[in-house]
């Protein structure tokens, strides 16, 4: 047993000891709490990312000592390295702890008795020799050798990556490529930003420079792919015009235009990018974006063309029967929408709040169900699916759940339902279709059987999808498929100032900010007073007027993270008044953000494999935009339990970068959701962001009440600003081309 402790580069302390006991280990994240022996008998607790650690191992760890408020002195590990035990007894102890799959106490004794101090060399380099031992077949010998290499392969990867990445990224790298990771990175560091989530091109570039790699060709090609894909993720583009791409890349990569053009030509020849002449310009696509648009175009066209038609007289009889049995009378546009939806392979229904979309869909479902069609309802998000279920009184699923999302061997999300395992349903009805990006639509279409029907419902005047594409608007503007646009507000809806103002905003007219007796209120404030007024509304004024239970239904939605009333300011202020620090209430500081029991939080990226429980039920997956409440922070286990509408999820402390406070969220994050009470700050900010459709989207998130707090001139300025964010997409052009051919 070794006994070492010294300063390391004046930043970290180095300790060396033997792992005596594993207190806690998370296989997914590698986060481990264990006791190690330093010296003759002293035991210390160490915590950190230490995947595949086992009792009996000797490790060298770099980190710092800290005093935990509940558990006393601990060593927080930043980097660590395994050191193989050398004596035969230490080797036996290590192997008998079942660290290596296939080796128990009896087998460990036989192996050590035969190979002694050479045991580890045999396991790593000559595993076939193990078959000489009674009870070990040739197959089992190979499996033991492979498992041993897995256990120790990550050691080399972690040590190689430690100067570039933190432990979590290093674990991702190892899981992706295993023991081959180091050779792959040395050969082409730029593969990191293409294959590993969380690694930017700039970081991969830094790794290349550190390794002394100066491969301009590889660097430029990787930079091109990263830049185009980043624009898809951040700006929703499916392609970039060549005339804009070349100068932008030349500046970003610090190379001349000719070098960029050469890289693009090479990628074109390799089939990684496509050059398409469209709308009088050359468009540069990454392969996956091009393939998605092409597939969507062909599948939608075929669905519509192959759809079995129904006699119009028969549909009219069904409609009359519904009107008689339900004692309702459809408006002319509603009858048209029902008829077209029932009789089309692809149908689009769009309109604002109060225009009767739900009434139409219920009628369509009734007719198709009477005709023995199998129907399924779905939506892009869990909250949207829940709203759809409540409105139709029928089960609605998320599209991910409908497609039975699973994982590939590389731990990438894939869909079980696809061309090889088609959905059983004849009719797929998708709500909140404005939120569907090209990759989600592609996946859904791949799972739809020929001659089935697709009905898309959405509000084309809301913000487009977070992901790439402008699917709903492209389909409508192509005019290839049957589409009904609802504009009439029905009598009951007209009584709501929320709906009236939403339609005024959408038509470019100023909303009514004077009326105080309805469900839409305006409270005038200067910029510096907006946040304080909102905090007072949430904490005091609204609960005093409507009862304490209203607090759970309030959602503040704001244009930006930044500014005097952005999410950063509002979340800090709202936490201080709605969930203040209190003795006995646990909290955790992460990235200078304090998470506290009772906090309202949001999941900010899709996590397809995190587990949840709901009573006796269990499942996997928490998705971008899901909102929950922190129920418990366990300092001993270093976990945070969040309740998402009854689904409880345990987050390791290392996973807390997936959460942020949700007392206030951006309007973009509110898409697809509705809340009983919505509070919207209107403050001066960038005109690029303060747009009409942003305000319209915010107002239409409310079910019962909207309160706008701030400046009236900002509200009017947003109505006047009908700027739409430009998205480079080709779907409309592809659809027009295939319909004309």
């Amino acid at each position: 047993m070794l006994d070492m402790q010294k300063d390391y580069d004046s930043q970290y302390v180095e300790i060396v000891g033997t792992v005596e006991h594993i207190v806690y280990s998370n296989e997914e994240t590698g986060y481990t709490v264990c006791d190690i022996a330093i010296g003759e008998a002293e035991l210390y607790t160490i915590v950190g990312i230490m995947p595949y650690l086992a009792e009996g191992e000797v490790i060298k760890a770099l980190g710092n000592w800290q005093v935990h408020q509940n558990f006393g002195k601990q060593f927080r590990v930043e980097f660590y390295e395994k050191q193989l035990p050398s004596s035969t007894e230490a080797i036996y102890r290590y192997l008998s702890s079942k660290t290596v799959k296939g080796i128990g106490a009896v087998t460990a004794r036989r192996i050590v008795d035969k190979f002694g101090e050479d045991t580890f060399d045999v396991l790593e380099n000559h595993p076939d020799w193990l078959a000489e031992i009674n009870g070990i077949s040739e197959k089992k010998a190979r499996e033991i050798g492979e498992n041993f290499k897995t256990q120790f392969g990550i050691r080399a990867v972690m040590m190689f990556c430690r100067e570039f990445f933190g432990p979590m990224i290093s674990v991702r790298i190892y899981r992706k490529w295993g023991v081959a990771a180091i050779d792959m990175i040395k050969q082409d560091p730029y593969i990191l930003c293409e294959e590993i989530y969380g690694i930017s091109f700039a970081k991969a570039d830094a790794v290349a420079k550190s390794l002394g790699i100066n491969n301009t060709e590889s660097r430029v090609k990787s930079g091109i792919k990263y830049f185009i894909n980043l624009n898809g993720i951040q700006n929703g583009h499916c392609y970039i015009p060549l005339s804009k791409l070349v100068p932008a890349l030349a500046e970003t990569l610090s190379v001349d235009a000719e070098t960029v053009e050469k890289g693009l030509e090479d990628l074109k020849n390799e089939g990684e990018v496509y050059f398409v002449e469209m709308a009088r310009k050359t468009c540069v696509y990454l392969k996956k974006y091009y393939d998605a648009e092409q597939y969507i175009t062909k599948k939608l066209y075929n669905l519509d063309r192959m759809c079995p038609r129904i006699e119009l007289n028969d549909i009219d009889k069904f409609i009359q029967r519904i009107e008689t049995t339900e004692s309702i009378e459809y408006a002319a546009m509603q009858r048209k929408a029902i008829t077209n939806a029932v009789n089309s392979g692809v149908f689009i229904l769009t309109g604002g709040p109060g225009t009767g979309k739900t009434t139409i869909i219920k009628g369509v479902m009734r007719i198709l169900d009477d005709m023995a069609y199998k129907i399924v309802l779905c939506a892009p998000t869990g909250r949207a699916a829940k709203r759809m279920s409540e409105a139709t009184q029928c089960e609605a699923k998320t599209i991910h759940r409908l497609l039975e999302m699973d994982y590939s061997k590389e731990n990438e999300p894939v869909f079980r339902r696809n061309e090889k395992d088609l959905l059983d349903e004849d009719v797929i009805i998708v709500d909140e279709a404005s939120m569907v990006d090209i990759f989600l639509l592609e996946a859904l279409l791949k799972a739809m059987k020929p001659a089935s029907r697709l009905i898309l419902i959405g509000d084309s005047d809301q913000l487009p999808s977070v992901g790439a594409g402008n699917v709903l608007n492209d389909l409508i503007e192509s005019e290839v498929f049957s589409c009904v646009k609802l504009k009439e507000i029905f009598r009951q809806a007209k009584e709501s100032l929320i709906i009236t103002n939403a339609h005024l905003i959408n038509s470019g007219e100023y909303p009514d900010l004077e009326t105080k007796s309805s469900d839409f209120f305006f409270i005038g404030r200067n910029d510096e007073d907006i946040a304080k007024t909102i905090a007072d509304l949430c904490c005091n004024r609204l609960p005093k007027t409507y009862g304490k239970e209203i607090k759970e239904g309030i959602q503040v939605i704001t244009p930006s993270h930044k500014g005097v009333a952005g999410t950063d300011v509002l979340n800090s202020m709202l936490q201080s008044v709605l969930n203040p620090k209190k003795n006995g209430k646990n909290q955790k500081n992460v990235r200078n953000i304090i998470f506290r029991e009772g906090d309202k939080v949001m999941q900010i990226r899709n996590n397809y494999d995190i587990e949840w429980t709901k009573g006796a039920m269990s499942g996997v997956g928490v998705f971008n935009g899901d909102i929950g409440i922190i129920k418990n922070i366990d300092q001993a286990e270093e976990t945070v339990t969040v309740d998402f509408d009854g689904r409880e999820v345990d987050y390791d402390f290392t996973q807390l970068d997936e959460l942020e406070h949700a007392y206030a969220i951006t309007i973009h994050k509110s898409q697809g959701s509705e809340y009983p009470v919505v509070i919207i700050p209107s403050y001066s900010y960038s005109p690029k962001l303060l747009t009409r459709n942003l305000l319209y989207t915010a107002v239409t998130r409310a079910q019962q009440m909207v309160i706008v707090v701030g400046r009236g001139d900002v509200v009017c300025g947003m109505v006047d600003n009908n700027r739409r964010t430009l998205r480079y997409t080709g779907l409309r052009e592809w659809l027009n081309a295939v319909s004309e051919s």
Side-chain angles (χ1 to χ4, degrees):
M1 192 177 300
L2 301 173
D3 182 8
M4 296 174 60
Q5 185 170 330
K6 62 183 181 180
D7 287 339
Y8 185 83
D9 290 342
S10 72
Q11 182 182 6
Y12 297 120
V13 171
E14 178 185 285
I15 61 172
V16 178
T18 303
V19 178
E20 296 291 333
H21 176 57
I22 303 292
V23 179
Y24 170 79
S25 180
N26 185 310
E27 290 186 6
E28 291 299 315
T29 65
Y31 182 81
T32 303
V33 179
C34 66
D35 295 327
I36 70 168
I38 301 176
E40 293 301 319
E42 274 191 295
L43 286 179
Y44 290 98
T45 299
I46 67 172
V47 299
I49 306 297
M50 296 175 284
Y52 306 114
L53 203 61
E55 294 176 6
E57 288 185 304
V58 177
I59 66 168
K60 177 170 70 175
L62 305 176
N64 288 294
W65 293 102
Q66 62 180 21
V67 178
H68 193 281
Q69 61 182 5
N70 293 330
F71 306 108
K73 188 176 182 180
Q74 292 183 337
F75 189 81
R76 178 161 291 280
V77 177
E78 296 296 333
F79 308 102
Y80 86 107
E81 178 181 14
K82 295 182 181 182
Q83 297 185 338
L84 294 175
S86 55
S87 69
T88 54
E89 278 309 304
I91 293 171
Y92 166 71
R93 182 186 173 201
Y94 169 76
L95 292 179
S96 63
S97 67
K98 298 183 180 180
T99 300
V100 179
K101 187 177 179 181
I103 300 180
V106 174
T107 304
R109 175 53 66 192
R110 291 173 180 170
I111 293 172
V112 174
D113 285 348
K114 183 170 183 63
F115 300 111
E117 294 180 358
D118 296 326
T119 294
F120 288 140
D121 179 63
V122 171
L123 290 174
E124 185 171 8
N125 300 308
H126 309 287
D128 53 305
W129 294 1
L130 297 174
E132 300 172 10
I133 296 173
N134 185 32
I136 301 180
S137 65
E138 291 183 3
K139 179 182 177 183
K140 185 176 181 180
R142 288 194 301 271
E143 291 174 348
I144 289 173
E146 289 171 3
N147 188 260
F148 181 81
K149 288 180 179 179
T150 297
Q151 296 292 322
F152 284 89
I154 195 169
R155 172 185 61 179
V157 174
M158 295 280 287
M159 293 306 293
F160 175 78
C161 292
R162 72 180 188 184
E163 65 178 284
F164 309 120
F165 311 112
M168 287 292 289
I169 296 292
S170 298
V171 170
R172 286 180 195 154
I173 292 170
Y174 179 76
R175 285 194 179 140
K176 183 72 175 179
W177 297 309
V179 293
I182 296 174
D183 289 337
M184 293 183 71
I185 294 170
K186 286 181 176 179
Q187 183 177 349
D188 183 9
Y190 297 102
I191 197 174
L192 289 165
C193 65
E194 297 179 27
E195 300 285 344
I196 306 297
Y197 170 77
I199 298 181
S200 66
F201 175 80
K203 196 66 177 177
D205 210 19
V207 173
K209 290 177 182 177
S210 178
L211 295 175
I213 296 174
N214 187 25
N215 187 333
T216 302
E217 181 180 336
S218 175
R219 177 177 182 270
V220 169
K221 289 198 291 186
S222 180
I224 291 169
K225 289 186 286 184
Y226 183 83
F227 183 86
I228 299 175
N229 192 51
L230 187 65
N231 270 278
I233 294 170
Q234 293 186 346
N235 301 317
H237 298 317
C238 294
Y239 68 82
I240 307 292
L242 181 64
S243 61
K244 294 182 179 293
L245 181 62
V246 172
L249 279 167
E251 181 180 354
T252 300
L253 301 176
S254 300
V255 296
D256 55 40
E258 289 75 16
T259 302
V260 173
E261 290 167 353
K262 172 65 165 57
L264 283 166
E265 190 64 29
D266 289 344
L267 288 170
K268 176 186 174 183
N269 294 334
E270 293 165 10
E272 300 238 29
V273 302
Y274 287 82
F275 285 24
V276 178
E277 297 299 324
M278 185 165 50
R280 291 181 291 184
K281 59 180 178 287
T282 302
C283 309
V284 183
Y285 279 90
L286 279 186
K287 185 179 186 300
K288 66 177 182 179
Y289 293 87
Y290 178 84
D291 289 347
E293 286 195 347
Q294 289 292 301
Y295 185 87
I296 290 169
T297 299
K298 293 172 184 175
K299 185 63 176 277
L300 286 176
Y301 182 72
N302 287 334
L303 284 177
D304 200 50
R305 186 168 54 88
M306 296 172 65
C307 172
R309 305 299 171 182
I310 303 167
E311 289 292 333
L312 294 180
N313 287 338
D314 293 338
I315 298 174
D316 195 53
K317 290 176 183 177
F318 275 115
I319 292 174
Q320 291 176 13
R321 187 188 308 166
I322 295 173
E323 289 180 321
T324 301
T325 57
E326 299 295 328
S327 299
I328 61 174
E329 183 177 351
Y330 291 115
M333 193 60 76
Q334 288 181 312
R335 294 176 71 93
K336 177 183 178 182
I338 293 172
T339 301
N340 290 6
V342 169
N343 214 18
S344 301
V346 178
F347 174 73
I348 303 160
L349 178 64
T350 183
T355 54
K357 295 193 295 292
T358 301
T359 300
I360 292 168
I361 290 306
K362 289 168 76 172
V364 170
M365 291 172 61
R366 173 82 174 268
I367 293 172
L368 291 173
D369 185 61
D370 287 348
M371 297 175 68
Y373 282 92
K374 295 180 68 175
I375 305 166
V376 67
L377 306 177
C378 59
T381 68
R383 297 180 76 89
K386 183 178 179 182
R387 282 199 304 109
M388 194 181 194
S389 296
E390 292 168 349
T392 61
Q393 299 300 304
C394 296
E395 181 190 11
K397 303 176 180 180
T398 63
I399 297 175
H400 295 85
R401 182 181 163 206
L402 175 66
L403 299 180
E404 298 180 27
M405 191 183 62
D406 197 5
Y407 293 89
S408 66
K409 292 180 179 179
E410 292 77 28
N411 206 34
E412 298 291 335
V414 295
F415 297 108
R416 289 183 179 177
R417 295 292 192 156
N418 51 37
E419 302 103 319
K420 297 179 181 178
D421 188 7
L422 298 172
L423 293 168
D424 299 324
E425 287 80 9
D426 307 297
V427 183
I428 314 294
I429 302 177
V430 183
D431 198 13
E432 294 290 351
S434 64
M435 299 179 66
V436 177
D437 63 38
I438 58 164
F439 297 117
L440 190 56
L441 180 59
E442 179 191 29
L444 178 62
L445 290 172
K446 283 183 176 179
M448 290 181 63
K449 59 188 180 183
S452 55
R453 287 168 163 80
L454 176 66
I455 298 174
L456 299 171
I457 314 160
D459 188 341
S460 59
D461 293 311
Q462 288 186 20
L463 297 169
S465 60
V466 174
N470 196 7
V471 170
L472 185 61
N473 276 287
D474 280 351
L475 295 183
I476 293 170
E477 291 172 8
S478 74
E479 299 183 350
V480 171
F481 307 110
S482 176
C483 175
V484 171
K485 301 178 183 179
L486 302 174
K487 295 182 179 179
E488 179 185 356
I489 306 174
F490 287 91
R491 181 176 55 82
Q492 185 176 0
K494 285 181 180 178
E495 298 173 4
S496 167
L497 193 55
I498 293 175
I499 292 176
T500 301
N501 276 341
H503 284 272
L504 286 172
I505 291 166
N506 197 36
S507 63
E509 299 178 59
Y510 299 145
D512 180 357
L513 302 182
E514 302 299 326
T515 300
K516 304 294 183 184
S517 59
S518 187
D519 52 7
F520 188 108
F521 304 93
F522 174 74
I523 301 175
R525 290 290 186 273
N526 294 324
D527 279 356
E528 59 270 18
D529 296 324
I530 293 174
K532 289 183 290 185
T533 300
I534 290 175
D536 186 43
L537 282 166
C538 294
C539 189
N540 301 310
R541 293 172 61 177
L542 289 174
K544 184 178 180 180
T545 304
Y546 299 99
K548 292 182 179 179
E549 60 275 7
I550 198 173
K551 282 187 177 182
E552 294 184 4
I554 298 172
Q555 184 60 59
V556 181
I557 58 177
T558 183
S560 175
H561 292 292
K562 305 300 179 183
V564 296
T567 59
D568 292 349
V569 170
L570 286 170
N571 274 316
S572 177
M573 184 174 291
L574 290 170
Q575 183 194 43
S576 69
V577 297
L578 295 174
N579 190 33
K581 185 177 180 181
K582 184 179 178 181
N583 288 339
K585 185 178 287 187
N586 293 323
Q587 61 184 42
K588 172 65 178 175
N589 191 324
V590 181
R591 312 183 310 274
N592 294 320
I593 298 172
I594 295 174
F595 289 105
R596 186 176 294 141
E597 289 175 345
D599 272 346
K600 186 177 184 179
V601 293
M602 172 184 279
Q603 176 78 14
I604 60 172
R605 67 173 66 104
N606 290 336
N607 186 328
Y608 298 99
D609 58 351
I610 195 167
E611 297 179 356
W612 55 261
T613 58
K614 186 176 183 178
M617 297 173 56
S618 63
V620 294
V622 180
F623 304 106
N624 187 3
D626 286 353
I627 292 178
I629 303 294
I630 295 179
K631 292 298 184 183
N632 182 54
I633 297 178
D634 192 323
Q635 302 287 1
E637 297 293 336
E638 302 214 354
T639 59
V640 173
T641 302
V642 181
D643 185 330
F644 294 98
D645 292 328
R647 296 175 300 142
E648 291 199 350
V649 177
D650 288 333
Y651 290 82
D652 189 278
F653 278 2
T654 60
Q655 296 174 291
L656 294 183
D657 61 344
E658 297 186 11
L659 296 176
E660 64 181 27
H661 286 122
Y663 298 104
I665 63 175
T666 63
I667 296 169
H668 284 84
K669 287 287 189 182
S670 74
Q671 283 180 269
S673 299
E674 284 187 350
Y675 314 94
V677 180
V678 167
I679 299 177
I680 308 166
S682 59
Y683 61 99
S684 56
Y685 200 64
S686 169
K688 291 183 178 180
L689 194 62
L690 300 180
T691 62
R692 182 187 301 173
N693 68 337
L694 191 81
L695 179 61
Y696 174 74
T697 300
V699 170
T700 55
R701 299 308 89 208
Q703 295 169 316
Q704 300 169 16
M705 186 187 304
V706 167
I707 303 174
V708 179
V709 181
R711 291 168 44 182
D713 64 311
V714 171
V715 174
C716 294
M718 293 179 79
V719 174
D720 291 337
N721 183 7
N722 198 27
R723 176 183 180 273
R724 299 277 179 142
T725 302
L726 174 65
R727 290 197 168 192
Y728 294 121
T729 67
L731 186 57
R732 181 179 61 179
E733 283 76 11
W734 297 125
L735 286 167
N736 288 146
V738 75
S739 66
E740 293 169 1
S741 61

